[in-house]
Amino acid sequence: MDSVTQHNQQQVQRQAAMAVLAHAEAGEIAARLRAISLPGHQDLREPENGLVMLRGRVGGDGAPFNLGEATVSRAAVRLASGEIGFGYTLGRDGQKARLIALCDALVQSPEFGAAVERDVIAPLREQLMIRRKQSAEETAATKVDFYTMVRGEG
């Protein structure tokens, strides 16, 4: 496997992990990480809060416009082995951003990547899918089918 393919696969894996971690609670992530003996790491960027501009498009594909601002938290962590992880989350949860950054760095590590996927990401992904399925079932239960009634000639 060439280095470009390997890099692309790692990017896809990181994106999938971030999609799961962004929807998990900080306590859930921390509890799952306790099962892993974490390597030495340091904060490159302490958790901090800020704003990002949300943009939309008229009709989904028209001219862009500024919809409003959203609060986000971000952090960056470096493992002792050199891997750097970044974490972003909506809201003002610096601890969650730091945990996401730590997981991002661990996913890149050849030594810890498989353990993090198995013990942290996969269980959280399963919980997320269960919550989404329950939400879809609750929504489906309230579905109303509208139809046109044809009046008969008397």
Side-chain angles (χ1 to χ4, degrees):
M1 180 177 351
D2 65 348
S3 64
V4 173
T5 304
Q6 185 178 6
H7 176 74
N8 289 342
Q9 286 179 344
Q10 186 181 43
Q11 288 300 102
V12 169
Q13 183 182 13
R14 288 176 69 192
Q15 288 172 352
M18 294 303 105
V20 171
L21 293 169
H23 290 94
E25 298 292 326
E28 293 174 334
I29 299 170
R32 301 271 181 206
L33 280 174
R34 284 190 203 106
I36 301 170
S37 66
L38 298 175
H41 57 279
Q42 66 180 14
D43 289 340
L44 287 180
R45 179 183 304 249
E46 293 287 329
E48 59 187 7
N49 301 320
L51 294 171
V52 295
M53 180 60 67
L54 301 177
R55 298 198 52 144
R57 289 188 176 271
V58 177
D61 60 355
F65 65 94
N66 292 335
L67 183 64
E69 295 176 331
T71 307
V72 295
S73 298
R74 69 178 180 178
V77 173
R78 178 177 33 217
L79 300 181
S81 56
E83 291 85 2
I84 298 174
F86 301 94
Y88 292 85
T89 186
L90 282 173
R92 299 176 53 91
D93 193 348
Q95 179 63 17
K96 181 178 175 182
R98 187 179 179 286
L99 290 169
I100 291 172
L102 179 58
C103 287
D104 184 36
L106 290 169
V107 164
Q108 297 173 62
S109 169
E111 185 179 344
F112 294 96
V116 170
E117 178 63 36
R118 180 187 65 241
D119 298 337
V120 179
I121 307 298
L124 291 175
R125 182 179 295 119
E126 186 175 328
Q127 285 179 346
L128 177 62
M129 298 312 281
I130 290 170
R131 282 194 300 247
R132 285 183 177 172
K133 182 179 178 193
Q134 288 173 343
S135 177
E137 288 172 354
E138 290 171 4
T139 302
T142 64
K143 181 180 177 184
V144 177
D145 289 325
F146 293 95
Y147 58 93
T148 304
M149 293 179 55
V150 178
R151 290 183 7 179
E153 298 290 324

